[in-house]
Amino acid sequence: MNGATYTVAVRALCEFTAKTGDLDLRFTPSPTAQEGIAGHALVTSRRDDDYETEIALSGDFGPLHVRGRADGYDRRANRLEEIKTYRGDLKNMPDNQRQLHWAQVKIYGHLLCKDQGLDKVHLALVYFDIGSQKETLLHEEHTALALRAYFEKQCGLFLRWAEKEMAHREARDAQLKAMRFPHADFRPGQRQLAEAMYKASNRGVCLLAQAPTGIGKTVGSLFPMLKASAKHGVDKVFFLAAKTSGRQMALDAVDIIRAGAPLLPLRTLELAAKSTACVNPDKACHGESCPLAKGFYDRLPAARQAALDIMLPPAPSPAGAEAARAPFLALDRETLRAVALAHDVCPYYLSSEMARWCDIVIGDYNYYFDISAMLHSLTLLNDWKVNVLVDEAHNMVSRARKMYSAEMEHAGLRMLRKVVPEELKKPLDRVHRQWNQLEKDQTAEYQCYATLPEKFMGALQTAATAISDYMADHPSYVDADLQEFYFGALLFARLAESFGDHALFDIEKSEGARASHSNSVLCIRNIVPAPFLKPRFESTHTTALFSATLSPWNYFGDMLGMPDTTAWVDVESPFVAEQLSVQVASHISTRYQHRQQSLRPIAALMGGQYQRQRGNYLAFFSSFDYMEKAANQFAEAYPEVPVWRQSRRMDEAARAQFLARFTLESEGIGFAVLGGSFGEGVDLPGARLIGAFVATLGLPQINPVNEQIRLRMDAIFGAGYDYTYTYPGLQKVVQAAGRVIRTQSDQGTVYLIDDRFGRPEIQQLMPAWWRIESAVPTP
Ligand code: SF4
């Protein structure tokens, strides 16, 4: 939006005004992005030399500014074309989809007539079949007058909405500019963080912010970003978190900010995963199966309006009267679900729609960063200016690696080829044969390859196309395993297109269920997500990543692809050395070969500390096996001390139960695994936790995969060991130790158990405010 105009893309306008009927996400395999681009190129190459492509067009209707790019114009035939690639039978395309295509080409038709002074034009929808490479051309002739009337009608339908949006934006920005910090004062460190955020938005650069726990990071980042939004013309703020608890903290922060600015019309949306938002998990997303998909677009306008109304601030009260505090609601998962169900529409797809109209969108990292992220696509489509906040950003490296990796298991294909329809057997057999050959050629159990196996990739591509075509021709055929294989193959093929130094291709063999069958897993393993993330950062106004553990900066900058202009801030800790006794037990080695001998001295160290100061402690180990042995040893030596153990695969309730044992009155030691559920994101202030024992450096296991990563990190960054082992390990240690001091009144003790913690290069990676001392061995 710009001044008194409201800019809208042709596609967004038509989706708003011309989409009716059912939501229909039936399995109709659409072409991949590459196929789409190639299809467009092929169609345009078939046209005459003077055929114009990608024609930028725009026009106004009152305050509305409509813009977009038409696919192609044949001047001699006076024909404007909209090219759509597809697979399967064109008859299966839902009517409302076709109507949407016509709406788009009609809008472009009007803009072209106006631009070129034409009094009529042929409009064509060119459907290009990826399989047969044939075109189906639907065309109509329209007069400029009729197209203008159509344009005005569509704009008219959108205008009221746009005017309300403009009024909302104006009121929002005025309130944001006037908004005051919601607390009487900033907490120590909070102002430094808030200023860094605001300055980053001012300069339009990214920010890495290392900020300790306890300074009010969420409010300290959201508040300045909202203030900055009004000043810097930012359309939306995305708050992205690694876990549900992070999303809840963001919702709480919005409540706090809103409490200090009760008239602020701020629309906040929480995005939930489809698996949790879906109310009919036994159904498919189309009108014949799910009642919430039937007529979805007909009921969407009312649902959308109701969802917006719920977020309205209270009307200003008459002068002198006490402000009426109407309950302001954010569209969190439950509220959105209630609105959706009241209007008989799908909550998941309503939330996708509301992302277009909300000021703050709170969700998981993947909504902006993964390979087909919804928020990123919307940002590009609508040309939004966005500020992105990434909470607990030390998780980004591992999460982003997963987003850009894919693996396939041979056992799954073996089963599948026996049950697929006849037409698919041959292409799947070919993949199977190529796979067998790879297994035969590889003598080692694990091997990493410099290039992708060409013949295998060719066979996989052919199989994916065959499945696509089959599914398109048989839309009612449902086979979950085949779909899973298909999507896996597509992702594999897509990642293969961008395969490079940032990824490994490896094959790991194992014995199959039957001795005659070996099994293997093929993996394209992203290890440096930077090439994928960099463009994502570049399409934001500002992205601020914050966490208590973001050092060393170069590691995060290199791995995530932070732009060169990225600013960074190391927020001063509000805690002082006197609050935390940090002791290194250098007389113990927790290396794999010394673990057995380490059990007794570790138990003695823990027992000694417990006897000196009874209370609640957490003890962290590198594996469940080590943890169990240490807990057994301790329980035997100190049977009077309550011991609580983390178990494998604890669900949310079990995790809550484990933490509930840590009360202000309780005493005991919780045994846990470093890097697991209790090593970060756990808040046990005061006497709920008075100390921690960390009996590991948290280094990832030395195995063939990690060794390959080390070699590649060495080749790219010249820091193989540190980038693979030391930095990821020490981040977990500092996170775990960070559970002890949560507030400025907390006091506690941390034991770092291993001689390597005594090394200066390791201690350099610890928080600057720690005063590290040597522990006296317990006799
Ligand atoms: S409720 Fe579930 S099945 Fe129905 S449209 Fe929504 S996501 Fe699809």
Side-chain angles (χ1 to χ4, degrees):
M1 207 167 72
N2 177 16
T5 59
Y6 186 100
T7 302
V8 60
V10 171
R11 193 172 132 195
L13 172 72
C14 295
E15 279 178 354
F16 191 93
T17 58
K19 222 168 174 183
T20 55
D22 295 358
L23 175 87
D24 193 342
L25 296 173
R26 223 173 300 215
F27 183 69
T28 45
S30 49
T32 63
Q34 290 286 335
E35 286 174 333
I37 293 166
H40 268 70
L42 189 61
V43 171
T44 55
S45 72
R46 289 171 176 172
R47 303 294 186 259
D48 291 337
D49 287 349
D50 55 358
Y51 184 78
E52 295 164 38
T53 58
E54 293 283 309
I55 311 129
L57 294 167
S58 63
D60 298 313
F61 181 82
L64 271 190
H65 180 66
V66 182
R67 55 157 184 79
R69 278 177 191 278
D71 287 335
Y73 178 51
D74 182 337
R75 192 170 287 279
R76 265 185 267 176
N78 187 25
R79 190 172 65 218
L80 183 74
E81 297 186 334
E82 185 68 12
I83 303 165
K84 304 286 178 195
T85 51
Y86 75 102
R87 280 186 183 285
D89 192 340
L90 199 52
K91 285 205 262 358
N92 292 331
M93 179 171 286
D95 270 356
N96 58 354
Q97 186 79 16
R98 180 81 44 81
Q99 289 317 317
L100 190 65
H101 295 161
W102 274 122
Q104 283 174 21
V105 74
K106 281 183 188 172
I107 299 288
Y108 283 128
H110 160 70
L111 298 175
L112 184 84
C113 286
K114 183 186 65 69
D115 192 57
Q116 315 245 332
L118 305 173
D119 55 9
K120 61 183 171 189
V121 67
H122 288 278
L123 300 181
L125 291 177
V126 181
Y127 288 104
F128 177 75
D129 184 351
I130 295 286
S132 68
Q133 309 262 292
K134 284 194 184 131
E135 295 174 29
T136 304
L137 200 131
L138 309 178
H139 69 104
E140 296 174 351
E141 192 182 29
H142 288 267
T143 64
L145 222 57
L147 290 174
R148 182 178 165 174
Y150 185 80
F151 173 80
E152 289 179 353
K153 184 176 165 216
Q154 300 307 311
C155 287
L157 288 172
F158 188 65
L159 187 60
R160 264 196 73 214
W161 179 269
E163 280 169 348
K164 281 202 224 161
E165 284 301 294
M166 284 193 287
H168 164 72
R169 175 66 176 263
E170 203 180 315
R172 182 198 83 173
D173 286 356
Q175 290 287 334
L176 284 177
K177 280 179 190 156
M179 171 176 82
R180 288 177 179 277
F181 191 64
H183 300 300
D185 206 353
F186 285 89
R187 288 196 219 169
Q190 198 178 29
R191 182 187 292 277
Q192 196 187 355
L193 176 68
E195 282 176 359
M197 294 272 170
Y198 192 81
K199 279 184 197 156
S201 181
N202 223 356
R203 292 173 51 211
V205 297
C206 291
L207 174 73
L208 279 171
Q210 180 164 272
T213 314
I215 64 163
K217 276 199 288 268
T218 319
V219 172
S221 57
L222 202 46
F223 175 81
M225 277 305 185
L226 287 170
K227 274 290 235 197
S229 297
K231 190 169 172 225
H232 307 137
V234 169
D235 297 302
K236 286 166 198 298
V237 173
F238 301 150
F239 188 103
L240 308 175
K243 295 184 181 151
T244 315
S245 55
R247 299 208 306 259
Q248 188 54 50
M249 279 164 77
L251 286 166
D252 294 344
V254 171
D255 275 352
I256 292 168
I257 290 169
R258 280 293 322 256
L263 298 181
L264 172 63
L266 197 61
R267 301 169 179 169
T268 307
L269 169 71
E270 181 193 11
L271 293 172
K274 188 172 173 184
S275 52
T276 46
C278 176
V279 268
N280 294 322
D282 56 329
K283 307 233 179 313
C285 305
H286 59 85
E288 283 166 35
S289 172
C290 177
L292 300 182
K294 186 144 197 73
F296 176 88
Y297 291 107
D298 303 331
R299 292 189 298 279
L300 179 61
R304 181 167 53 207
Q305 190 58 58
L308 288 192
D309 289 347
I310 247 177
M311 295 185 282
L312 280 177
S317 47
E322 203 176 308
R325 281 280 182 88
F328 155 79
L329 290 177
L331 275 183
D332 59 17
R333 279 185 291 174
E334 286 72 31
T335 309
L336 184 117
R337 190 181 176 97
V339 174
L341 296 185
H343 289 81
D344 287 333
V345 295
C346 164
Y348 177 72
Y349 290 102
L350 177 61
S351 74
S352 305
E353 169 67 19
M354 295 316 295
R356 295 165 190 258
W357 312 112
C358 284
D359 306 302
I360 303 177
V361 183
I362 299 168
D364 186 274
Y365 295 165
N366 64 352
Y367 282 102
Y368 188 77
F369 289 109
D370 88 2
I371 203 158
S372 49
M374 185 251 283
L375 291 178
H376 179 247
S377 308
L378 284 175
T379 300
L380 296 187
L381 171 72
N382 295 293
D383 212 6
W384 286 335
K385 194 170 183 182
V386 297
N387 275 347
V388 177
L389 290 165
V390 183
D391 183 29
E392 301 289 4
H394 59 278
N395 290 300
M396 268 294 281
V397 176
S398 57
R399 285 291 308 277
R401 280 177 169 174
K402 280 197 193 126
M403 292 174 203
Y404 294 96
S405 296
E407 62 177 38
M408 302 184 76
E409 192 177 357
H410 200 168
L413 174 66
R414 278 186 210 283
M415 305 281 282
L416 192 63
R417 27 192 290 277
K418 294 185 188 141
V419 295
V420 289
E422 210 46 47
E423 295 97 306
L424 295 178
K425 283 202 185 322
K426 219 165 139 190
L428 289 187
D429 278 350
R430 212 176 134 221
V431 179
H432 172 61
R433 277 200 305 279
Q434 291 299 333
W435 206 324
N436 274 341
Q437 190 59 46
L438 292 175
E439 284 169 0
K440 220 165 122 196
D441 292 346
Q442 178 173 310
T443 47
E445 204 171 279
Y446 172 86
Q447 196 163 325
C448 185
Y449 297 83
T451 54
L452 296 168
E454 221 172 283
K455 285 187 182 161
F456 173 82
M457 290 311 302
L460 191 67
Q461 192 80 297
T462 311
T465 306
I467 299 171
S468 257
D469 291 343
Y470 184 84
M471 294 292 199
D473 292 339
H474 302 83
S476 52
Y477 180 82
V478 180
D479 179 338
D481 293 335
L482 183 64
Q483 276 193 26
E484 197 185 316
F485 176 83
Y486 172 72
F487 289 127
L490 278 190
L491 181 62
F492 213 84
R494 194 163 166 192
L495 292 174
E497 284 167 4
S498 54
F499 185 70
D501 280 354
H502 55 79
L504 304 175
F505 169 65
D506 54 37
I507 303 180
E508 188 161 8
K509 295 208 297 184
S510 59
E511 282 306 313
R514 284 201 275 149
S516 56
H517 286 166
S518 65
N519 188 19
S520 65
V521 175
L522 310 188
C523 186
I524 294 181
R525 194 184 300 277
N526 175 263
I527 54 173
V528 184
F532 299 103
L533 301 187
K534 194 166 189 200
R536 301 296 168 100
F537 295 130
E538 285 167 352
S539 32
T540 67
H541 176 64
T542 299
T543 301
L545 296 101
F546 55 102
S547 160
T549 48
L550 276 188
S551 52
W553 306 106
N554 56 316
Y555 170 75
F556 285 96
D558 288 343
M559 299 300 280
L560 300 178
M562 303 305 298
D564 294 342
T565 51
T566 301
W568 60 269
V569 61
D570 193 356
V571 175
E572 220 174 283
S573 173
F575 309 134
V576 290
E578 289 67 32
Q579 284 183 260
L580 184 68
S581 162
V582 183
Q583 303 196 33
V584 173
S586 301
H587 59 289
I588 301 172
S589 162
T590 61
R591 291 173 185 82
Y592 188 73
Q593 64 271 28
H594 301 141
R595 280 192 192 158
Q596 195 55 40
Q597 299 98 287
S598 72
L599 298 175
R600 199 180 287 270
I602 289 176
L605 184 94
M606 291 168 62
Q609 172 61 29
Y610 188 87
Q611 281 164 348
R612 277 191 297 281
Q613 192 178 9
R614 291 164 64 125
N616 295 312
Y617 293 85
L618 270 170
F620 295 97
F621 296 83
S622 54
S623 66
F624 275 101
D625 180 56
Y626 195 12
M627 181 202 92
E628 282 295 342
K629 284 183 177 144
N632 290 343
Q633 177 79 39
F634 182 84
E636 198 182 309
Y638 301 91
E640 72 285 4
V641 181
V643 163
W644 314 305
R645 301 176 196 218
Q646 179 182 358
S647 59
R648 289 171 209 264
R649 287 182 283 280
M650 277 172 133
D651 59 18
E652 214 166 297
R655 290 199 296 270
Q657 209 177 9
F658 181 89
L659 291 175
R661 293 194 169 112
F662 293 77
T663 67
L664 293 175
E665 289 78 34
S666 65
E667 291 175 351
I669 300 185
F671 283 73
V673 169
L674 192 78
S677 309
F678 306 113
E680 63 171 276
V682 167
D683 201 15
L684 297 169
R688 291 188 69 194
L689 188 73
I690 63 164
F693 305 92
V694 185
T696 167
L697 267 82
L699 306 182
Q701 198 189 26
I702 294 186
N703 60 30
V705 176
N706 285 335
E707 280 298 278
Q708 285 297 330
I709 295 176
R710 180 178 65 77
L711 291 174
R712 186 65 61 83
M713 293 294 167
D714 220 21
I716 304 177
F717 303 113
Y721 191 84
D722 284 345
Y723 274 37
T724 310
Y725 296 105
T726 316
Y727 298 158
L730 266 292
Q731 271 154 34
K732 286 189 223 143
V733 170
V734 175
Q735 277 289 337
R739 302 307 97 205
V740 179
I741 302 296
R742 312 299 292 171
T743 72
Q744 281 169 277
S745 56
D746 280 5
Q747 293 278 337
T749 305
V750 165
Y751 281 90
L752 301 173
I753 305 172
D754 193 283
D755 57 292
R756 288 164 289 178
F757 281 119
R759 295 179 184 166
E761 69 273 20
I762 296 293
Q763 292 194 1
Q764 248 176 25
L765 299 169
M766 312 276 178
W769 66 274
W770 284 10
R771 193 164 56 221
I772 302 170
E773 293 164 338
S774 292
V776 180
T778 310

Coordinates of all heavy atoms in Angstrom, one line a residue, residues 15-17 161 297 299-309 311 331 339 343 345 350 353-354 356-357:
E15 N -8.5 -13.7 -7.2 CA -8.8 -14.7 -6.1 C -9.8 -14.2 -5.1 O -10.6 -14.9 -4.6 CB -7.5 -15.1 -5.4 CG -6.7 -16.1 -6.3 CD -5.4 -16.5 -5.7 OE1 -5.0 -15.9 -4.6 OE2 -4.7 -17.3 -6.3
F16 N -9.8 -12.9 -4.9 CA -10.7 -12.3 -3.9 C -12.1 -12.2 -4.5 O -13.1 -12.5 -3.8 CB -10.2 -10.9 -3.5 CG -11.0 -10.4 -2.3 CD1 -10.5 -10.6 -1.0 CD2 -12.2 -9.7 -2.5 CE1 -11.2 -10.1 0.1 CE2 -12.9 -9.2 -1.4 CZ -12.4 -9.4 -0.1
T17 N -12.2 -11.8 -5.8 CA -13.5 -11.5 -6.3 C -14.2 -12.6 -7.1 O -15.4 -12.6 -7.3 CB -13.5 -10.2 -7.2 OG1 -12.5 -10.5 -8.2 CG2 -13.0 -9.0 -6.4
W161 N -13.7 -3.5 0.3 CA -12.8 -4.2 1.2 C -11.4 -3.4 1.3 O -10.9 -3.2 2.4 CB -12.5 -5.6 0.6 CG -11.6 -6.4 1.4 CD1 -10.2 -6.5 1.2 CD2 -11.9 -7.2 2.5 NE1 -9.6 -7.3 2.2 CE2 -10.6 -7.8 3.0 CE3 -13.0 -7.6 3.2 CZ2 -10.5 -8.6 4.1 CZ3 -12.9 -8.4 4.3 CH2 -11.7 -8.9 4.7
Y297 N -15.5 -21.5 -0.9 CA -15.3 -20.1 -1.3 C -16.6 -19.3 -1.3 O -16.5 -18.0 -1.2 CB -14.7 -20.1 -2.8 CG -13.3 -20.6 -2.7 CD1 -13.0 -21.9 -3.3 CD2 -12.3 -19.9 -2.2 CE1 -11.7 -22.4 -3.2 CE2 -11.0 -20.3 -2.1 CZ -10.7 -21.6 -2.6 OH -9.4 -22.1 -2.5
R299 N -18.7 -19.5 1.2 CA -18.9 -19.0 2.6 C -17.7 -18.3 3.2 O -17.7 -17.7 4.3 CB -19.2 -20.3 3.5 CG -20.5 -20.9 3.2 CD -20.8 -22.0 4.2 NE -19.9 -23.1 4.2 CZ -19.9 -24.1 3.3 NH1 -20.8 -24.2 2.4 NH2 -19.0 -25.0 3.4
L300 N -16.6 -18.3 2.4 CA -15.4 -17.6 2.9 C -15.6 -16.1 3.2 O -15.1 -15.7 4.2 CB -14.2 -17.8 1.8 CG -12.9 -17.2 2.2 CD1 -12.3 -17.8 3.5 CD2 -11.9 -17.4 1.1
P301 N -16.2 -15.3 2.3 CA -16.3 -13.9 2.7 C -16.9 -13.7 4.1 O -16.4 -12.8 4.8 CB -17.2 -13.4 1.6 CG -17.0 -14.3 0.4 CD -16.8 -15.6 1.0
A302 N -18.0 -14.4 4.4 CA -18.6 -14.2 5.8 C -17.6 -14.6 6.9 O -17.5 -14.0 7.9 CB -19.9 -14.9 5.9
A303 N -16.9 -15.8 6.6 CA -16.0 -16.3 7.7 C -14.8 -15.3 7.8 O -14.4 -15.0 8.9 CB -15.5 -17.6 7.2
R304 N -14.4 -14.8 6.7 CA -13.2 -13.8 6.7 C -13.6 -12.6 7.5 O -12.9 -12.1 8.4 CB -12.9 -13.5 5.3 CG -11.8 -12.5 5.1 CD -11.3 -12.5 3.7 NE -12.4 -12.3 2.7 CZ -12.4 -12.7 1.5 NH1 -11.5 -13.4 1.0 NH2 -13.5 -12.5 0.7
Q305 N -14.8 -12.1 7.2 CA -15.3 -10.9 7.9 C -15.4 -11.1 9.4 O -15.0 -10.3 10.3 CB -16.6 -10.4 7.3 CG -17.0 -9.0 7.8 CD -16.0 -7.9 7.5 OE1 -15.6 -7.7 6.4 NE2 -15.5 -7.3 8.6
A306 N -16.0 -12.3 9.8 CA -16.2 -12.6 11.2 C -14.9 -12.7 11.9 O -14.7 -12.3 13.0 CB -17.0 -13.9 11.3
A307 N -13.9 -13.3 11.2 CA -12.5 -13.4 11.8 C -11.9 -12.1 12.0 O -11.3 -11.8 13.1 CB -11.6 -14.3 10.9
L308 N -12.1 -11.2 11.1 CA -11.6 -9.8 11.3 C -12.3 -9.1 12.4 O -11.7 -8.4 13.2 CB -11.7 -9.0 10.0 CG -10.8 -9.4 8.8 CD1 -10.9 -8.3 7.8 CD2 -9.4 -9.5 9.3
D309 N -13.6 -9.2 12.5 CA -14.4 -8.5 13.5 C -14.0 -8.9 14.9 O -14.0 -8.1 15.8 CB -15.9 -8.8 13.3 CG -16.5 -8.1 12.1 OD1 -15.8 -7.3 11.5 OD2 -17.6 -8.5 11.6
M311 N -11.2 -9.4 15.9 CA -9.9 -8.8 16.3 C -10.1 -7.2 16.4 O -9.1 -6.6 16.6 CB -8.8 -9.1 15.2 CG -8.5 -10.6 15.2 SD -7.2 -10.9 14.1 CE -8.0 -10.9 12.5
L331 N -6.4 -14.2 16.7 CA -6.8 -15.4 16.0 C -5.9 -16.5 16.3 O -5.1 -16.9 15.5 CB -6.9 -15.2 14.5 CG -8.1 -14.6 13.9 CD1 -8.0 -14.5 12.4 CD2 -9.4 -15.3 14.3
V339 N -14.3 -19.8 14.8 CA -14.9 -18.9 13.7 C -15.2 -19.8 12.5 O -16.2 -19.8 11.9 CB -14.0 -17.8 13.4 CG1 -14.5 -17.0 12.2 CG2 -13.8 -16.8 14.5
H343 N -18.9 -21.0 10.6 CA -19.2 -20.7 9.2 C -19.0 -21.9 8.3 O -19.1 -21.7 7.1 CB -18.4 -19.5 8.7 CG -18.8 -18.2 9.4 ND1 -18.4 -17.8 10.6 CD2 -19.6 -17.2 8.9 CE1 -18.9 -16.7 10.9 NE2 -19.7 -16.3 9.9
V345 N -16.5 -23.6 7.4 CA -15.4 -23.7 6.5 C -14.2 -24.3 7.2 O -14.1 -24.4 8.4 CB -14.9 -22.3 6.0 CG1 -16.0 -21.6 5.1 CG2 -14.5 -21.4 7.1
L350 N -8.9 -21.5 6.2 CA -9.3 -20.1 6.6 C -8.0 -19.4 7.2 O -7.8 -18.2 6.9 CB -10.4 -20.2 7.7 CG -10.8 -18.8 8.2 CD1 -11.4 -17.9 7.1 CD2 -11.8 -18.9 9.3
E353 N -6.0 -18.1 4.5 CA -6.6 -16.9 3.9 C -6.3 -15.7 4.9 O -6.0 -14.6 4.4 CB -8.1 -17.1 3.8 CG -8.9 -15.9 3.5 CD -8.6 -15.3 2.1 OE1 -8.1 -16.0 1.2 OE2 -9.0 -14.1 1.9
M354 N -6.4 -15.9 6.2 CA -6.3 -14.8 7.1 C -4.9 -14.3 7.2 O -4.6 -13.1 7.6 CB -6.8 -15.2 8.5 CG -8.3 -15.5 8.6 SD -9.3 -14.4 7.7 CE -9.1 -12.9 8.6
R356 N -3.3 -13.3 4.8 CA -3.2 -12.1 3.9 C -3.7 -10.9 4.6 O -3.3 -9.8 4.1 CB -4.2 -12.4 2.7 CG -3.8 -13.5 1.8 CD -5.0 -13.9 0.9 NE -4.7 -15.2 0.3 CZ -4.3 -15.3 -1.0 NH1 -4.2 -14.2 -1.7 NH2 -4.0 -16.4 -1.5
W357 N -4.5 -11.0 5.6 CA -5.1 -9.8 6.2 C -4.7 -9.5 7.6 O -5.3 -8.5 8.2 CB -6.7 -10.0 6.1 CG -7.1 -10.5 4.8 CD1 -7.6 -11.7 4.5 CD2 -7.0 -9.7 3.5 NE1 -7.9 -11.8 3.1 CE2 -7.5 -10.6 2.5 CE3 -6.6 -8.5 3.2 CZ2 -7.5 -10.2 1.2 CZ3 -6.6 -8.1 1.8 CH2 -7.1 -9.0 0.9

